Amino acid sequence: MTGRELLEADALRAFAVFAEHRNFTAAAAALHISQPALHVKIRKLAAALGIELYERDGRRLALTAAGERLAAYALDSRRRADEFLRELHHESAPTLTVAAGRGALRWVIGEPIRRIGRQGRRVQVITADRDAALTALTTGRADLAVIAHDPPTRAVEALQIAAYGQVLVIDDEHPLATRQQVRLRDLDGLDLVVPPAGRPHRRALDRALLDAGVRWQVAAEVDGWDLLVHLAALGVGATVVNGCVGLPDGLCAVPILGLPRIRYWAAWRAPRAHLVRDLLDEFGPGA
């Protein structure tokens, strides 16, 4: 059987399921076939195409670059078939799958998702960090990825959808709460609630405070805008978050000069552009 014939046959469906699970046992169970049978299908597919589809990374299985591309093609094919069948039977519009972090889902794209939901569009959400969101996009598990900071590579289409200044979140009785804005040096001596070391927001904050010669102490390390604000509300320390994050009573947000705006990007692949158009329209200008 030729590579083209295999791409039009059951082996492609089997590989799509394997790509989702990255595990032969789980994928074979989902397909209701034996694990050896699944091995044979994928081995024949790889041989017919003349490429390696996966490799071992320690105890894990990882798709090769060619495997990632084939996975995206396979999942697109499967989802297009599902969409065609729904349209054939006059069912509702296809589900839009969005991959994004918790903060982006709540504070950046929550309202656009709500609005298109009211229009009758079904939305499925994958909670993922930047790398996982882009992987979900490139492998076809997500139609749209929303990421922060730097734009994605040119392998996908992208649009900046939002940009927010960073703010110092403090008790509304703190001496700095009366300021219209603060400079980085005004944070000198503060106890700060920050993300864990290595997270993008923490790395950028560490670098900016170091460059400004600011002395500060770690009050607590937690992941996610909501937890940063929650600990600030408990009086653990001040924190620095995006200006879009909502605050409870008792806290105030003071814009910080000297920190860059945090930009958010929507990314999608060209074959899925028809699915993401409605949501992109809801974002509006992302300046």
Side-chain angles (χ1 to χ4, degrees), residues 201-287:
H201 179 52
R202 172 66 180 276
R203 289 199 304 267
L205 188 59
D206 282 344
R207 186 165 52 249
L209 293 174
L210 178 64
D211 290 345
V214 174
R215 297 171 294 108
W216 62 284
Q217 297 79 41
V218 175
E221 293 181 326
V222 292
D223 203 5
W225 301 125
D226 287 348
L227 283 178
L228 291 171
V229 168
H230 180 63
L231 290 191
L234 293 178
V236 174
T239 193
V240 176
V241 300
N242 285 2
C244 63
V245 177
L247 302 180
D249 292 340
L251 294 180
C252 69
V254 184
I256 303 173
L257 293 178
L259 288 180
R261 290 162 66 84
I262 295 183
R263 304 180 187 278
Y264 285 86
W265 305 83
W268 67 97
R269 291 178 298 112
R272 312 302 287 175
H274 64 291
L275 284 181
V276 306
R277 193 169 295 116
D278 290 344
L279 186 56
L280 292 176
D281 289 343
E282 289 292 340
F283 291 137

Side-chain angles (χ1 to χ4, degrees), residues 98-211:
V98 180
R102 294 190 302 272
L105 286 168
R106 180 168 187 187
W107 302 111
V108 180
I109 62 173
E111 183 59 24
I113 286 177
R114 185 184 68 82
R115 288 199 295 265
I116 69 165
R118 287 185 171 182
Q119 298 168 14
R121 292 294 305 276
R122 293 180 298 172
V123 179
Q124 178 181 353
V125 169
I126 299 173
T127 305
D129 62 18
R130 177 190 176 92
D131 290 343
L134 289 174
T135 297
L137 178 66
T138 56
T139 58
R141 291 188 299 115
D143 302 306
L144 184 78
V146 176
I147 58 174
H149 303 286
D150 298 325
T153 67
R154 294 183 179 180
V156 295
E157 304 288 332
L159 173 71
Q160 182 181 311
I161 57 172
Y164 302 100
Q166 299 184 60
V167 297
L168 176 67
V169 176
I170 49 177
D171 188 282
D172 57 15
E173 295 183 0
H174 192 282
L176 294 176
T178 59
R179 300 276 195 91
Q180 293 297 312
Q181 58 189 21
V182 294
R183 297 183 182 276
L184 283 171
R185 63 172 177 264
D186 295 321
L187 277 61
D188 194 76
L190 287 184
D191 293 334
L192 293 178
V193 181
V194 292
R199 300 289 293 158
H201 179 52
R202 172 66 180 276
R203 289 199 304 267
L205 188 59
D206 282 344
R207 186 165 52 249
L209 293 174
L210 178 64
D211 290 345

